[in-house]
Amino acid sequence: MDWLCCFNSSQYGGGRSSSTSGKGKSHEGIMRFGFSLVKGKASHPMEDYHVAKFMQIQGHELGLFAIYDGHLGDSVPAYLQKHLFANILKEEEFWVDPRRAISKAYDKTDQAILSRAADLGRGGSTAVTAILINGKSLWVANVGDSRAVLSSRGQATQMTTDHEPNTERGSIENRGGFVSNMPGDVPRVNGQLAVSRAFGDKSLKSHLRSDPDIQNAKVDGNTDILVLASDGLWKVNSFGFDASVHLYLFTSCTSLDLGDRIV
């Protein structure tokens, strides 16, 4: 299980998920972030990676936050950690049309992963990314079932879409695949994958999508907190979308100062 919490706050680099936590703040110290990474009960090694940092580029300050939840190995999430944000920022239209830049970069990154399947293996990864531009404009994108929840004035809103086999059955079947619903198990694409969109997964790619859902939100004095987390938090624990619950949970992990404006 892997979760990330981003607050009103220097640079903290990404890393492989392990039983650890960290925090940092923006260059001006106005916004703070923290993260906590915990391995769940699964017998296989941790396959999640994250990014959490602020950086200066072309006179702008960017906050870059992400969780990459891998499956069938950690090669694909490791690749995403290194390349996805770099590919987004390489797009010439990023500063004028972030939505288009993010969409194009997600596609190009997936194509690069598929072309390297011999080295990266047969696995894949979900992704949820958040880019904060100059502390004012937030762009969230996701593929798979990791989520981002934004709270403003105590009201929490899910900014991502859960890409699950049952909800996208039509797309899967139109591509020649099927959705299994075995007793005691979750719906799966071709009886294998529990998400309908993912990076990688070359053997299933003809039946999967990798295009992200993208949302934009304004960040101002009414913004409370942004929480990014993999499905291990959202599905195993029934927290719902009560902002006070998320604030309490992450305060216990990262010692939030709730007196500051939080992103």
Side-chain angles (χ1 to χ4, degrees), residues 175-198:
R175 293 166 176 261
F178 67 91
V179 176
S180 65
N181 284 280
M182 300 298 292
D185 194 12
V186 298
R188 296 181 182 274
V189 178
N190 293 5
Q192 300 177 55
L193 190 62
V195 292
S196 54
R197 301 190 199 186

Side-chain angles (χ1 to χ4, degrees), residues 193-255:
L193 190 62
V195 292
S196 54
R197 301 190 199 186
F199 285 95
D201 293 296
K202 188 171 184 177
S203 65
L204 293 173
K205 184 54 67 173
S206 61
H207 305 147
L208 297 176
R209 294 168 58 183
S210 58
D211 53 303
D213 275 298
I214 303 171
Q215 298 292 332
N216 175 234
K218 180 177 69 173
V219 172
D220 56 25
N222 295 318
T223 306
D224 302 316
I225 190 169
L226 172 69
V227 179
L228 275 61
S230 66
D231 63 328
L233 177 68
W234 305 116
K235 294 181 179 178
V236 176
N237 301 290
S238 299
F239 294 121
F241 295 123
D242 181 351
S244 63
V245 174
H246 295 302
L247 290 171
Y248 174 78
L249 172 67
F250 286 95
T251 298
S252 67
C253 295
T254 57
S255 300

Side-chain angles (χ1 to χ4, degrees), residues 108-168:
K108 290 179 180 179
T109 303
D110 190 46
Q111 294 305 314
I113 289 170
L114 295 175
S115 71
R116 293 167 172 78
D119 297 319
L120 297 178
R122 64 190 184 96
S125 181
T126 68
V128 56
T129 59
I131 302 176
L132 181 62
I133 304 175
N134 296 324
K136 297 178 180 179
S137 183
L138 176 67
W139 289 89
V140 172
N142 83 293
V143 163
D145 56 4
S146 294
R147 295 179 184 173
V149 171
L150 181 69
S151 173
S152 296
R153 292 185 174 180
Q155 181 65 44
T157 302
Q158 183 173 336
M159 293 191 68
T160 49
T161 300
D162 294 341
H163 299 137
E164 298 178 335
N166 266 351
T167 59
E168 298 196 305

Side-chain angles (χ1 to χ4, degrees), residues 69-80:
D69 185 358
H71 47 265
L72 297 178
D74 66 355
S75 296
V76 173
Y79 185 92
L80 290 170

Side-chain angles (χ1 to χ4, degrees), residues 83-91 94 98 101-102 105-106 129 131:
H83 295 285
L84 183 54
F85 277 130
N87 290 344
I88 292 172
L89 298 179
K90 285 178 184 176
E91 294 294 329
F94 173 75
I102 292 168
Y106 264 63
T129 59
I131 302 176

